Amino acid sequence: MNVNGFDAAAGALAQAVQAQRLAQRLRGLAAHGGVPTGGVARQALTHEELAARRWLAQDFAARPGYRVGIDAAANVYVRRCGVDAGAAPVMTGSHVDTQPLGGWLDGAFGVVAGLEVFDALDSLGVATRRPLDVVMWTNEEGSRFAPGLMGAVSFTDPQRLADFLPVADSAGVAFETARDQAVTDFETHAQRLGWSWMDRPLGAPVHAYVEAHIEQGPVLEAQGLQVGCVTAIQGVRWYRVSVPGRSAHAGTTPLANRDDAQAKAIAMAHAVLGHARDCGDERMRVTIGRWECLPGSINTIADHVSFTVDARHPDAQALDAVRTVMDAALPDGAHIEVLQDKPTVQFAPDLVALATAGCEALGMRHRQMLSGAFHDAMPMAGFCPTAMLFAPSIAGVSHHPAEDTPIEDLAACTQVLAWCLLKLAEPAPAST
Ligand code: GLV
Ligand code: MN
Ligand code: MN
């Protein structure tokens, strides 16, 4: 198809994206794990998440030309078959797991946007040469099983799955057990309903991956923009710091005689947060998000504290400096465990250019930008040409029940996604 022919087809597809259908499916998804007081509680591989994945797949699984599957990391796929069955698929999607109490769009938007593109393609009867896959990655958040991105990392580097299988959640349930239950649940359901099945091995070739996501930050809204074309994701390091002490009576033990794990941990936390505040770099991000203290009694000195540090910055040297501060402030006997260390990744310049061209062709107000959050696209970037599209977040709020985006902005981002996916999957004459 010539360039003008392609532009016409992609423009028509973008027009076939329906904001109302997108909103309806997002609301239906939010009901899975929806909390009456606001927000969504749908952590990785819980009953709520498995039900949500089945619910999303079922709309398409029975349509002609569709297949569903689940891989060894419990990533779920919905495939719209291409005319060239042997061609590597173009992939889109994101995650449907949430923080313990998260918002309704983080991850959910990317999956539902991909499915909306399927609906738009179906409404126009457009066939593509390459298959198109919408993927629901497993455990992006990392809040139930640490680290995050387990599904996408396992897909792109299958040997890593073995490292994740023994990881347990706070109730002692191993990722392997939850993964096995998820695979059995999806396969049984698909078999019972006669869904067309596809096997999708970890590491199977992918032509390109484009993920839509909410920005989760304030930039696009503040600048009155509709779409962000993401050029890179900043590096992230996660640590767990364990500080030992000795329990003793809170009323009788003089300060000089104490080995107070809590006091030592607080001093170290101040050092690392103080560095972030005073280093003079507004790009620095340091978060202490989890804090555990044993025995956790009001009148007993703590004999064990552990806390997490999440440090992010685009430059590795800045993250090294955080680690230097942590090492210098580490109390005697304490230790630091690295839970995750992901360097900054750059997205494929050709795909960023494609996303930008899509915004221009569709008349969207857009800019190129860095992602502050990590995403499933991070491991994918080392595996196949990868890019991301951002929709604005109201007041930049995310990982919170108030997370929101105007539906017209979600639809605009989905239109650009549709434009990019059709370009990558190539419009084809429908087979008869
Ligand atoms: C993903 O949720 C992140 O923490 O960036
Ligand atoms: Mn996300
Ligand atoms: Mn998230």
Side-chain angles (χ1 to χ4, degrees), residues 106 140-141 216 399:
D106 176 2
E140 188 273 353
E141 294 290 0
Q216 308 181 278
H399 284 187

Side-chain angles (χ1 to χ4, degrees), residues 106-124:
D106 176 2
F109 168 56
V111 171
V112 173
L115 296 175
E116 174 55 30
V117 176
F118 284 178
D119 268 332
L121 285 162
D122 287 355
S123 72
L124 298 180

Side-chain angles (χ1 to χ4, degrees), residues 72-304:
N75 299 308
V76 169
Y77 303 85
V78 180
R79 167 164 297 185
R80 188 176 191 272
C81 297
V83 170
D84 181 352
V90 173
M91 207 186 255
T92 188
S94 192
H95 60 99
V96 297
D97 65 316
T98 70
Q99 289 287 307
L101 181 62
W104 71 308
L105 295 175
D106 176 2
F109 168 56
V111 171
V112 173
L115 296 175
E116 174 55 30
V117 176
F118 284 178
D119 268 332
L121 285 162
D122 287 355
S123 72
L124 298 180
V126 170
T128 56
R129 183 174 83 74
R130 291 182 181 279
L132 273 161
D133 285 358
V134 170
V135 58
M136 303 176 220
W137 298 113
T138 297
N139 187 37
E140 188 273 353
E141 294 290 0
S143 52
R144 179 174 177 203
F145 301 103
L149 306 177
M150 279 185 182
V153 167
S154 301
F155 180 80
T156 56
D157 185 0
Q159 289 187 342
R160 294 291 309 283
L161 179 58
D163 301 336
F164 300 144
L165 294 177
V167 172
D169 68 6
S170 59
V173 179
F175 177 70
E176 182 171 18
T177 307
R179 184 274 315 253
D180 289 349
Q181 283 166 354
V183 171
T184 305
D185 174 85
F186 195 78
E187 284 178 349
T188 311
H189 199 78
Q191 222 165 25
R192 192 159 51 78
L193 297 181
W195 290 351
S196 298
W197 192 255
M198 71 167 183
D199 290 325
R200 191 80 183 124
L202 296 176
V206 176
H207 177 65
Y209 178 68
V210 184
E211 178 174 348
H213 204 283
I214 51 164
E215 181 198 335
Q216 308 181 278
V219 174
L220 291 173
E221 186 194 48
Q223 298 181 0
L225 302 175
Q226 294 166 290
V227 181
C229 301
V230 185
T231 55
I233 299 184
Q234 71 176 347
V236 50
R237 297 186 192 175
W238 280 6
Y239 303 102
R240 177 164 41 225
V241 182
S242 301
V243 182
R246 197 181 59 250
S247 286
H249 196 287
T252 60
T253 315
L255 291 185
N257 294 15
R258 296 180 179 205
D259 183 10
D260 184 345
Q262 186 77 298
K264 293 188 293 185
I266 288 170
M268 181 174 171
H270 274 291
V272 66
L273 291 173
H275 170 75
R277 187 187 57 233
D278 300 335
C279 69
D281 184 344
E282 63 83 27
R283 296 175 301 167
M284 178 59 77
R285 309 275 185 269
V286 172
T287 304
I288 296 179
R290 185 176 292 161
W291 192 280
E292 282 155 357
C293 173
L294 293 173
S297 167
I298 191 166
N299 51 355
T300 297
I301 294 162
D303 69 359
H304 183 84

Side-chain angles (χ1 to χ4, degrees), residues 239 268 272 320-331 334-336:
Y239 303 102
M268 181 174 171
V272 66
D320 291 344
V322 173
R323 178 63 201 248
T324 302
V325 169
M326 289 174 64
D327 286 338
L330 194 66
H335 73 273
I336 299 174

